[in-house]
Amino acid sequence: MGTGGFPTADIRKDPFMKTEAETNLALQKYADTIRRICFMHLRNRNDLEDIFQDVFLKYILYCGVFETEAHERAWLIRVAINACKDLQKSFWRRKVSCLDDADLSNISISDSSKDLLDAVLRLTPPKYRDVIYLHYYEGYKASEIAHILGQKENTIYTWLSRAREQLKKQLGGEVFEESVQNSI
Amino acid sequence: MKNRFKTAFDEITADPVLLRKTSAFLYMQASAKPRRHLPQHKALAGLAAAALFFGAGIFLYRFYTVPMAYVGIDVNPSIEFSINRLDKVVGSYAFNAEGKAILSRTDIEGKAYRQALEDIIAEIGAEGYLIQDGLVTITVQADDLSRQAPLQSSVETIISGQLSHYPQAPSAEVLPISGEVRKRAHGCNVSAAKYLALQELMEVDESATFESYSSYSIGEIRTQTDSCRQHRAHGAQDTASSAESVEDTAGFVDTVEDTASSVESTDSIINSSEACGTGEKKRHGHHN
């Protein structure tokens, strides 16, 4: 991964802007997470690059202090989800509704994963994909997901429950139970 | 053993091309942009067009961009935005880093002030600042005094509606202020709400300054003010009850026992005084 030759701190436009080291570290830590969130919402490479860059631009311009790495990760996740939602508010934007719609440029999906990922992308409304991803992959509890998404905890439980029902119908009950086995 | 969700999503990663493009993009955004030198004929054409629309532009600019009212929000993020005669936001300002962060994530300029206020409160809530024992202080100031009361009423309704979404909402207050107070607050680089709270504190604590307390939330400043008032009240009581002992001490007491008890009382008075200050200070009104 190239460093991009970031300017030193004293010639940054904004003194609150993140340094080169901080930015490269953030890319290293969170790029895959942001990529996965974009995967669940965006159809094409151009949208992916726009949103991906926009998220990290907001990160480097953010002048608040992250108390912990967990706080930093949660902040980036929320910014990414909101950025994807804002893009899709445009009426001519067609949303991702299955694996065929998703942007898989430079990604190779194994056959064993295709059914599961396709089932996740078929969840409607799209907010169910976020809660399923945050819970079963990132390992967040419902209370933590509620804080990230700015929702009430009970709302998250409802969304998770409905998402699980949809996934069970698509994958079959046994396959779904096996998929979430050993999840946090 | 990983569950299948982890295995499947592990295959979704950011590719090197995406990362390189992002690094390059961020570099461009972070560094100063070089000045572009226009060809002469384009520069002259631009000047001519600017001159042509200058007169009309000045009129429209003043009509749409001149602020007519100001709304300040102080939780710990400390923000103020200005509104034009059409109730649209024409400017925003943050008094601290937290406020700057909130403004960077809420694009409020050009929006109706009602929507802007809702967006700011929602973002402040999303960042976890709306806690149960907290305080949300809003100030409103309108150059046209006839707009002040309706603006205050509207803001109260909006705040009440927004905070009802939070089961453990903080308390909230909406204060009308004068233009003079707002200007003085800006001169001290604090919000008007914080300026008023600090004035009250400095009336009971001579050691307090704008610089030393500007990073405190209004709730914390008021807690300190209440604490200092209580100290002063207890200090006055101790002074009255120890008057006899102080007189003996001043007269160089004869017995060791009397000296010991009066030194104890004197110490407690000194401790109270040092905590909060005892100087007399003339009270200033909030509206000038």
Side-chain angles (χ1 to χ4, degrees), chain B residues 35-243:
Chain B
R35 291 178 64 88
R36 295 177 60 193
H37 298 284
L38 287 175
Q40 190 176 19
H41 65 278
K42 285 189 179 179
L44 287 173
L47 281 173
L52 186 64
F53 293 107
F54 185 74
I58 288 285
F59 172 76
L60 289 172
Y61 175 85
R62 289 194 61 82
F63 188 77
Y64 285 109
T65 64
V66 170
M68 303 296 289
Y70 302 84
V71 176
I73 302 140
D74 218 304
V75 183
N76 184 20
S78 189
I79 292 164
E80 181 181 278
F81 63 82
S82 53
I83 310 168
N84 66 8
R85 64 181 68 244
L86 301 177
D87 287 343
K88 302 278 188 199
V89 176
V90 293
S92 58
Y93 184 78
F95 293 96
N96 56 15
E98 291 85 353
K100 195 165 183 175
I102 297 292
L103 285 181
S104 73
R105 290 195 300 276
T106 51
D107 186 16
I108 62 170
E109 294 197 12
K111 285 186 180 176
Y113 79 83
R114 294 175 187 80
Q115 185 62 53
L117 188 54
E118 287 176 5
D119 287 351
I120 288 174
I121 296 296
E123 188 62 35
I124 288 175
E127 282 299 302
Y129 289 112
L130 298 179
I131 57 175
Q132 187 174 11
D133 296 325
L135 175 67
V136 177
T137 306
I138 313 287
T139 55
V140 295
Q141 185 257 313
D143 292 340
D144 180 358
L145 290 178
S146 66
R147 290 185 69 190
Q148 183 130 336
L151 178 61
Q152 180 182 353
S153 177
S154 172
V155 167
E156 284 171 348
T157 303
I158 294 166
I159 294 300
S160 174
Q162 284 295 101
L163 294 184
S164 67
H165 297 318
Y166 299 90
Q168 296 179 324
S171 52
E173 55 183 6
V174 181
L175 308 173
I177 61 166
S178 67
E180 185 60 30
V181 166
R182 196 180 67 82
K183 283 178 190 169
R184 288 183 184 178
H186 276 233
C188 300
N189 200 33
V190 295
S191 66
K194 194 168 284 187
Y195 175 80
L196 295 174
L198 285 169
Q199 272 203 317
E200 286 187 17
L201 174 61
M202 290 192 291
E203 288 173 358
V204 294
D205 182 1
E206 276 190 332
S207 64
T209 63
F210 283 108
E211 291 76 23
S212 59
Y213 279 90
S214 61
S215 62
Y216 285 52
S217 69
I218 291 179
E220 289 165 344
I221 294 170
R222 288 192 180 156
T223 300
Q224 178 67 8
T225 304
D226 290 342
S227 174
C228 287
R229 283 196 180 119
Q230 286 173 4
H231 274 295
R232 294 187 79 178
H234 287 145
Q237 288 174 3
D238 285 339
T239 303
S241 65
S242 304

Side-chain angles (χ1 to χ4, degrees), chain A residues 5 62 78 110 113 137 181, chain B residues 3 6 10-11 27 105 127:
Chain A
Y62 178 65
R78 185 170 71 243
S110 64
S113 299
Y137 185 84
Q181 190 180 19
Chain B
N3 63 51
K6 281 199 169 288
D10 274 349
E11 296 181 31
Y27 167 75
R105 290 195 300 276
E127 282 299 302

